[in-house]
Amino acid sequence: MNVKRCSLEDRPESRALAPRVRSALPVLAESAEETVRLTPGAPIGDPIPLEPGGWSAFRDSGKPTSAQQVMPADPRVAEIVLGAANAAYADLGLDGPFVVAFFTAEDRPGGVILSDAMQSRFHLEAFMAGAQTDPPSIWIRLDDRAVTAADLRHLVRHEMGHYALERAGMQPGQIAEALADEYASGGMAAVQTAFGRGAIAPRHLNAGTPLAIAAPSGSTVIIDGTSMMFKIQTAPTYSYSHGAASGDTTPHLITLTAITPGATPAIQSYVNFDNSGNTGWRFPSTFDAPTAREYVATVSGGTGAYLVTVKTVGHQCAVHLNGSGQVELGVWCSNADGITRTFYGKVYVLKEAAL
Amino acid sequence: MATHPGMLIAYDADGNVITTLPYLILYDETLAARPPIGMIDFASHEEVGGEHTDIWVVEGAKGSKVWPEYLDSQAHDFRVELEGEPGHKRIGALVHKLSGHRRERAAIEAAIEAAPVIGGTKDIRHLVGGPAHPLRLDVDGKTAGSRRPAANAALPLVGASAAVPMTTGMPPASPATP
């Protein structure tokens, strides 16, 4: 199976979305010849072009009910407006595959979130990371249900988690050797956040993706392809456990008291269910629900025969200044699975520097 | 004094590793160019009685201490065992939560001590790894090698500018290291 990307700019209707939705939406191909595009509410498995009607379907099928979330007149964009509270929540009541693009009130892209029929319900939650003046961040929680053999054909959709995002107006980024090591076994994409400090666009790391190494020191890692370079300032790891289907969204906070940068640094983060530090952190996580690989059986109690990828959690990592000039990392995880899960994540705090 | 900065480990009440901080680079924020000053020496800070809250605060952690090896995320497979008198405790061993394998500080320090001095420095990368280049462990928590090929001679064990000279026994820092 190949995963391909498709730029919305290739489609006439997409131009109306630019620049707010100029992200490269993913297109998944189940074979090298077949291209499958996902449309909300459409049957799974058939090649379906992404049409404006898809976005309309999103609007019609689940308007957020929270007073802190509004749907704009333009049905193609679901805009989240946060009020004074720290969190807003809405059960969108959506079933089936769909594609949603989120943007903050300040017109910053919040990410692209994908789901599929593996989840019976889709929940949207939005949080303010720290002070209200900080850019709102958005994450999702997906309720899962029992995996059946019939679902297996759908599971390839989870490869959508490997899509690339590009911040509007930014050039594709490049991820260098140190990060590539983390992906050595996966060839996954990386997703970034760089609120207010430019951006590092994520790139798919399959063969052919250019990797740039600014210096062989291992501490100089990322070039965004334009004029900025990002160096790793620190690279903490963390683990974070939640009970079964707890949905706990208590943030795990790491405050770097030793450094006092004047601007919020960029971050890049990864998460996994198992602490497979040797084989790489496989999943992008910034605004995308991470996935886990599990073996399932075709019948209850049977031998696990199918390797599937299951979305059961929501995860997000954000970085902000804590009001004292210190960098604070916030990690949110939510377990919607039926068993206790421990998340293992790694965060790269990046500092912008001149080339 | 410590031979190298080491890695910070935060642990919960049961000793489980919950967060690691392999390194932290300090920049000079007073200058427009914000040049890197160097890497914070966690071990030296701990040795002189410095508080780790000067470096980081991890919510939910019972404490944090320095560990001489760079294990990065693999440290989450371990729980810490502390040693020493109250007020001067340090991590004496990491115990693998599944296999029970113990990574003893005393053995690591002895190996560092025994490393030959070549050109005035000791190369201990094969013993402790390095920032962003952790040791590679097997499923039992035993050292299985270095993630990065040893042929990559450009990689420093630790990096620091002249503003923050490193402690004893270190190979010369790469000039490219920020």
Side-chain angles (χ1 to χ4, degrees):
Chain A
M1 187 198 71
N2 291 330
V3 176
K4 294 183 177 179
R5 297 171 51 215
C6 173
S7 171
L8 276 177
E9 297 176 56
D10 297 337
R11 305 186 60 80
E13 65 270 18
S14 70
R15 296 195 179 105
L17 302 179
R20 304 189 80 194
V21 193
R22 220 170 74 174
S23 304
L25 288 180
V27 172
L28 180 69
E30 292 184 313
S31 71
E33 294 77 27
E34 182 185 22
T35 296
V36 178
R37 292 170 178 161
L38 299 179
T39 297
I44 295 176
D46 297 323
I48 301 167
L50 179 63
E51 300 293 349
W55 296 97
S56 296
F58 168 79
R59 177 198 59 181
D60 296 338
S61 61
K63 184 176 181 179
T65 56
S66 168
Q68 294 170 351
Q69 301 185 40
V70 298
M71 295 292 289
D74 183 350
R76 295 165 300 189
V77 177
E79 184 172 314
I80 308 301
V81 179
L82 292 175
N86 287 327
Y89 174 84
D91 177 0
L92 299 184
L94 296 177
D95 294 321
F98 50 88
V99 178
V100 185
F102 294 107
F103 299 85
T104 71
E106 288 138 350
D107 217 13
R108 295 192 181 99
V112 176
I113 300 174
L114 305 170
S115 181
D116 65 15
M118 274 295 297
Q119 282 71 42
S120 58
R121 304 291 287 177
F122 174 80
H123 299 269
L124 167 66
E125 297 185 16
F127 285 83
M128 294 288 286
Q132 192 173 345
T133 53
D134 288 346
S137 54
I138 298 170
W139 68 288
I140 62 172
R141 184 178 71 216
L142 299 172
D143 286 351
D144 67 327
R145 55 183 170 81
V147 177
T148 66
D151 290 317
L152 296 179
R153 63 189 293 265
H154 304 160
L155 292 172
V156 293
R157 307 293 179 187
H158 290 292
E159 295 292 330
M160 298 291 277
H162 311 160
Y163 63 87
L165 293 174
E166 292 180 7
R167 181 186 169 118
M170 299 303 295
Q171 297 297 313
Q174 297 166 327
I175 300 172
E177 182 182 6
L179 296 186
D181 277 354
E182 305 291 342
Y183 288 109
S185 64
M188 304 306 174
V191 183
Q192 57 81 36
T193 58
F195 295 135
R197 295 294 295 170
I200 310 153
R203 290 282 290 179
H204 202 282
L205 292 181
N206 276 345
T209 298
L211 300 179
I213 304 171
S217 66
S219 295
T220 300
V221 174
I222 296 176
I223 296 177
D224 71 354
T226 54
S227 61
M228 291 178 293
M229 177 170 64
F230 291 83
K231 298 182 178 181
I232 295 178
Q233 194 166 12
T234 185
T237 69
Y238 61 88
S239 57
Y240 192 33
S241 295
H242 279 310
S246 63
D248 186 2
T249 57
T250 303
H252 176 66
L253 296 176
I254 305 169
T255 304
L256 304 175
T257 53
I259 54 177
T260 56
T264 305
I267 62 167
Q268 193 157 20
S269 64
Y270 312 88
V271 70
N272 202 348
F273 274 152
D274 56 74
N275 188 17
S276 54
N278 292 340
T279 56
W281 300 79
R282 297 188 180 87
F283 305 114
S285 61
T286 305
F287 293 101
D288 178 37
T291 55
R293 298 196 310 169
E294 292 183 343
Y295 286 88
V296 300
T298 55
V299 295
S300 177
T303 301
Y306 295 92
L307 174 62
V308 301
T309 306
V310 185
K311 281 183 178 178
T312 55
V313 297
H315 167 272
Q316 186 203 353
C317 181
V319 60
H320 57 265
L321 301 179
N322 65 359
S324 301
Q326 296 166 340
V327 177
E328 191 167 79
L329 304 174
V331 182
W332 293 261
C333 299
S334 174
N335 181 16
D337 202 356
I339 61 175
T340 297
R341 290 290 194 185
T342 299
F343 305 82
Y344 298 91
K346 186 168 185 176
V347 180
Y348 295 88
V349 178
L350 308 172
K351 188 176 181 63
E352 183 181 354
L355 285 174
Chain B
M1 292 293 290
T3 57
H4 62 291
M7 179 181 77
L8 277 184
I9 289 177
Y11 48 89
D12 63 15
D14 296 324
N16 298 306
V17 174
I18 58 172
T19 314
T20 75
L21 187 64
Y23 62 92
L24 189 59
I25 296 172
L26 192 66
Y27 288 78
D28 187 347
E29 300 290 340
T30 64
L31 301 177
R34 295 171 181 163
I37 298 172
M39 184 179 297
I40 295 174
D41 189 341
F42 301 145
S44 294
H45 189 64
E46 181 174 280
E47 281 193 356
V48 298
E51 297 291 340
H52 288 165
T53 51
D54 296 337
I55 301 170
W56 70 339
V57 175
V58 179
E59 193 167 278
K62 180 185 178 185
S64 72
K65 300 289 182 185
V66 173
W67 182 248
E69 298 174 305
Y70 294 90
L71 303 178
D72 284 20
S73 60
Q74 301 165 109
H76 292 263
D77 288 334
F78 295 83
R79 59 179 172 81
V80 304
E81 277 191 3
L82 301 179
E83 65 180 14
E85 299 298 321
H88 302 281
K89 287 187 178 297
R90 62 176 192 170
I91 299 176
L94 294 181
V95 183
H96 197 268
K97 288 191 278 190
L98 294 180
S99 71
H101 176 70
R102 298 175 61 88
R103 303 186 70 85
E104 301 281 357
R105 176 189 283 266
I108 298 166
E109 292 180 341
I112 293 173
E113 180 65 27
V117 177
I118 302 175
T121 63
K122 289 183 177 181
D123 187 346
I124 58 172
R125 286 174 285 190
H126 63 293
L127 298 174
V128 301
H133 313 298
L135 293 176
R136 183 163 51 86
L137 307 184
D138 63 17
V139 294
D140 293 327
K142 299 176 181 175
T143 302
S146 173
R147 172 175 293 183
R148 192 172 297 275
N152 195 341
L155 293 174
L157 178 60
V158 293
S161 70
V164 182
M166 301 310 300
T167 52
T168 59
M170 300 307 302
S174 164
T177 302

